[in-house]
Amino acid sequence: MSRVYIAGPMTGLPELNFPAFHAAAAMLRGLGHQVDNPAEINPDPTMGWAACMRKDLAVLTQCDAIYLLPGWQNSRGASLEAYVARSLGLEVLNPWILKVTVKQARVLDFMRQYIGDHGKPPPLKTIGFHVGASPAGARQFLKTLQRHGYVAPVGHGKYSPTLEVAL
């Protein structure tokens, strides 16, 4: 599991683009990563840019990878974060290179939580209900996740996340 920092545009965007940051964080956590999300590090929208960047850069330097949201190139802060990350040799991740969708990552995250709470994988119906899909839709998510190596079958119609999840 790697520690991933999210970078992207905020200034001038509705809600400071926090929904995109939170969606990326959920997706990355669903893939098994520890995530540092600037929208969680600095939740106060009145905090100044320089104060936020000081906190964010300190966190970024402790990470293994940086995940760049679309439009990061047009952001002064995200461009600085990308420069620092590259200079420190962090792995650079972009949304278009990931193998799973946000909804598939939600399935993984839910499965990990369910297994932690119940000691066994959730039924297809429960997975489907959690992500707004039918049991057949949940089965399709799991088959895709299996194809990419994120889950493995553990019995008839049952799947469990693999121990090593990598991007």
Side-chain angles (χ1 to χ4, degrees), residues 45-158:
T46 63
M47 198 168 158
W49 182 86
C52 288
M53 289 307 299
R54 284 185 183 97
K55 286 176 71 176
D56 293 344
L57 289 170
V59 171
L60 170 64
T61 63
Q62 302 303 307
C63 293
D64 306 302
I66 186 169
Y67 178 84
L68 300 172
L69 290 171
W72 70 269
Q73 307 93 322
N74 303 320
S75 165
R76 178 174 60 139
S79 294
L80 176 59
E81 291 164 336
Y83 174 79
V84 169
R86 285 187 178 109
S87 297
L88 295 175
L90 275 62
E91 183 178 3
V92 178
L93 308 173
N94 293 297
W96 53 87
I97 65 170
L98 297 178
K99 298 176 183 176
V100 299
T101 66
V102 170
K103 197 170 252 192
Q104 290 164 349
R106 284 182 56 213
V107 168
L108 282 171
D109 190 43
F110 173 70
M111 290 177 71
R112 283 191 183 87
Q113 290 175 3
Y114 189 95
I115 291 168
D117 293 343
H118 302 286
K120 62 182 181 180
L124 288 174
K125 184 177 180 179
T126 304
I127 293 171
F129 177 79
H130 181 76
V131 297
S134 67
R139 183 178 290 111
Q140 283 307 116
F141 284 131
L142 292 169
K143 286 185 182 215
T144 300
L145 290 168
Q146 180 183 4
R147 218 175 26 255
H148 292 306
Y150 291 109
V151 299
V154 292
H156 182 69
K158 299 274 186 187

